[in-house]
Amino acid sequence: MSVSERFAAPQAAQAADIPSVDRLLRAPGLEGLLLRHGRTPVVAVVRAQLAQLRRAALAGTLEPAQLTDAALAAAVEARLTRAARPRLTAVFNLSGTVLHTNLGRALLPDEAVHAVVRAMSSPVNLELDLSAGRRGERDSLIEGLLCELTGAEAAMVVNNNAAAVLLLLSGLAQRREVVVSRGELIEIGGSFRLPDIMRRAGARLIEVGTTNRTHLCDYAQALGARTALLMKVHTSNYAISGFTASVPLAELVRLGRGHDVPVAVDLGSGSLVDLRRWQLPSEPTVQEAIAAGADLVSFSGDKLLGGPQAGLIAGRAELIARLRRDPLRRALRVGKLTLAALEAVLALYRAPEHLAERLTTLRLLTRPLGELRLQAQRLKAPLQRSLGAGYEVTDVPLSSQIGSGALPVEQLPSHGLAVRALRGRGGSVVRLEAALRELPRPVIGRLAERALWLDVRCLESAEEPELLAQLAALRP
Ligand SMILES: *Cc1c(COP(=O)(O)O)cnc(C)c1O
């Protein structure tokens, strides 16, 4: 049907039938909306709605049913609801990546959530030493716990691990040299590139060795009067295999001690427990680095640690004191909500035997495969029902990833659903993936090989009813 035919169709309404802004504002259905949302947003939305109707009238597609008082009020209300929806919203993470940077990384355990709520709604001793009645250090709130857990002499916390590395270089190596292996000059997603951070911190990067092999003598030859730091960086998000060599931390420490040059380690994820205890792949721990003699170790709060976004630095008291005096530190400091969450999370590590139930990240990483399989099978029929004949849902073994650069080559056996569109029956996985993202609580899966993959690892059973209720209303 052409535009003119539609225009001429007897059921099309005309622009002249569209009410004015004032008339619509006086319509009975609008009264409640005006009270609830206030006049300004309602007027703006009414104008936008009427403009859309006028465009439809010109195109000949405006139906008289759209112009009843009830229909107009409903359209205005829908627009207001959409506009009032928070932009930051909870989603279902069915991507298979547990620590997904785009989805906010670690989920906080209940203990941390309660601590944050408390710190948000009452005054706290953020910088008040309660025993001395004097001004205190905000870092000191978690320093004791961090030292106890890592074996370090001193510790501090900044906004994230990138900030920790920046502070470490700025505080200890400004206008001096930092020696790093070429195999460790990494870029971590987004824009964290070690050479760039070095430059911004005012430190001069001295690259040694080659991409695949670096030896102790490479570091030794680079040492000189201007050397401020020997640095090791955990190559979080990639692995080199084959003909490779790197220098163990303990050997680098011996070299550093001999020349009175401190050794710093950027551990990235940095776990506080040996993950092999739960049959997970092994990731270097902060304790190991401290025990091997690292002078400073930096790591993230919201990766394997399972806490809030933060950057932690543990190490020698004299060096931490120097970092505390750096002017950058004030710009990189954390707020009380972070400290509240961090303290609660660190406290859980005092009882490692309960960690796998209490620390959300570890609970998700250690979910038994049998449970994941049952859950996927339980979700299969309801999903197939709501998707209809255009799609085929099967339950399939999958591989989850830890994410955030931890253990890049290691995969965790998992289970989930694969959705494929059936040729000729009107299904489209691309459209389905978009429809899932537009649900009230968006569902995030993974499109690959012409299928949509939904890994159930991060869907805890308490959340299942909410997902199912949404699926029932899904119209792909
Ligand atoms: C993740 C990571 C960083 C950056 O940490 P953020 O907490 O995301 O700022 C730095 N270095 C390494 C080795 C990392 O893995």
Side-chain angles (χ1 to χ4, degrees):
M1 187 160 62
S2 75
V3 168
S4 58
E5 274 169 328
R6 252 184 283 159
F7 195 72
Q11 71 271 26
Q14 309 293 314
D17 303 332
I18 298 173
S20 68
V21 172
D22 284 336
R23 228 257 314 119
L24 182 49
L25 284 173
R26 285 195 305 274
L30 273 270
E31 215 169 294
L33 296 180
L34 282 164
L35 272 176
R36 209 162 350 124
H37 296 272
R39 193 174 165 82
T40 312
V42 174
V43 170
V45 158
V46 160
R47 288 219 165 93
Q49 179 61 20
L50 294 180
Q52 186 190 325
L53 295 177
R54 275 193 291 276
R55 281 194 299 276
L58 283 177
T61 57
L62 182 62
E63 289 166 26
Q66 288 176 272
L67 296 181
T68 64
D69 278 349
L72 288 167
V76 169
E77 175 158 23
R79 272 179 187 265
L80 283 166
T81 310
R82 230 178 302 138
R85 214 157 91 177
R87 294 294 181 269
L88 183 69
T89 184
V91 303
F92 285 105
N93 174 10
L94 302 190
S95 68
T97 301
V98 178
L99 296 169
H100 200 308
T101 298
N102 303 156
L103 303 181
R105 291 195 185 156
L107 302 177
L108 291 183
D110 289 345
E111 288 82 352
V113 172
H114 295 316
V116 171
V117 170
R118 187 98 177 116
M120 275 193 291
S121 48
S122 27
V124 289
N125 60 323
L126 181 62
E127 288 185 356
L128 175 65
D129 180 341
L130 287 175
S131 51
R134 275 197 310 267
R135 189 185 162 154
E137 276 279 355
R138 57 179 70 199
D139 279 356
S140 66
L141 295 166
I142 49 100
E143 185 173 23
L145 251 175
L146 265 176
C147 291
E148 175 192 321
L149 295 169
T150 62
E153 279 174 21
M156 63 188 296
V157 51
V158 288
N159 190 45
N160 53 30
N161 189 33
V165 174
L166 178 67
L167 179 64
L168 203 145
L169 293 168
S170 156
L172 303 182
Q174 225 173 83
R175 286 186 292 277
R176 298 181 63 208
E177 296 175 352
V178 181
V179 185
V180 187
S181 159
R182 287 200 170 87
E184 298 175 4
L185 288 175
I186 51 166
E187 170 180 313
I188 318 261
S191 52
F192 181 89
R193 280 181 160 189
L194 200 68
D196 297 342
I197 298 266
M198 285 262 180
R199 204 169 311 119
R200 293 311 286 259
R204 171 137 187 261
L205 169 65
I206 305 292
E207 303 174 23
V208 297
T210 60
T211 306
N212 59 331
R213 291 173 72 82
T214 303
H215 308 282
L216 194 62
C217 58
D218 296 321
Y219 288 98
Q221 279 160 16
L223 281 171
R226 304 191 59 79
T227 312
L229 210 55
L230 293 171
M231 189 166 181
K232 258 185 106 60
V233 183
H234 185 48
T235 51
S236 309
N237 52 4
Y238 83 111
I240 333 181
S241 59
F243 186 55
T244 65
S246 63
V247 177
L249 179 57
E251 282 182 34
L252 201 58
V253 165
R254 214 170 314 128
L255 177 69
R257 295 263 159 87
H259 293 76
D260 211 12
V261 172
V263 175
V265 184
D266 172 14
L267 264 191
S269 215
S271 182
L272 287 179
V273 279
D274 185 347
L275 296 173
R276 283 173 301 188
R277 178 178 181 150
W278 296 278
Q279 287 77 52
L280 289 169
S282 133
E283 172 84 355
T285 66
V286 182
Q287 295 90 306
E288 281 162 2
I290 296 287
D295 296 287
L296 288 173
V297 183
S298 81
F299 52 106
S300 290
D302 55 354
K303 293 186 180 172
L304 279 172
L305 184 76
Q309 180 189 306
L312 298 110
I313 310 176
R316 263 179 37 220
E318 177 244 328
L319 298 178
I320 295 280
R322 270 169 69 187
L323 299 188
R324 287 211 166 105
R325 289 194 297 268
D326 191 286
L328 257 188
R329 183 211 172 195
R330 173 65 171 76
L332 303 176
R333 77 179 187 190
V334 293
K336 60 184 177 176
L337 306 186
T338 301
L339 285 165
L342 194 56
E343 182 177 23
V345 167
L346 290 174
L348 295 181
Y349 280 88
R350 283 187 157 150
E353 64 275 22
H354 297 303
L355 209 54
E357 319 140 42
R358 294 183 185 161
L359 188 70
T360 313
T361 299
L362 193 57
R363 189 168 65 237
L364 294 176
L365 289 174
T366 56
R367 286 186 67 192
L369 189 54
E371 184 185 308
L372 300 174
R373 204 178 289 131
L374 283 177
Q375 190 177 17
Q377 285 160 359
R378 206 158 54 227
L379 291 169
K380 184 179 139 184
L383 181 61
Q384 180 69 72
R385 251 197 317 279
S386 47
L387 296 185
Y391 298 89
E392 179 192 46
V393 183
T394 48
D395 75 286
V396 287
L398 293 172
S399 289
S400 308
Q401 295 199 9
I402 297 184
S404 280
L407 311 152
V409 286
E410 307 277 3
Q411 309 253 327
L412 307 170
S414 186
H415 214 81
L417 298 170
V419 186
R420 290 186 179 80
L422 292 178
R423 230 178 262 214
R425 297 226 192 143
S428 148
V429 285
V430 174
R431 206 172 61 232
L432 173 63
E433 190 267 345
L436 288 171
R437 267 190 285 113
E438 276 156 27
L439 288 170
R441 180 168 171 187
V443 174
I444 310 299
R446 202 167 55 83
L447 269 181
E449 295 155 36
R450 306 167 66 109
L452 179 66
W453 307 88
L454 304 170
D455 186 318
V456 299
R457 177 177 294 279
C458 297
L459 178 71
E460 294 207 86
S461 47
E463 296 181 308
E464 242 178 82
E466 188 186 351
L467 178 68
L468 287 171
Q470 284 202 141
L471 290 184
L474 184 68
R475 294 282 162 269

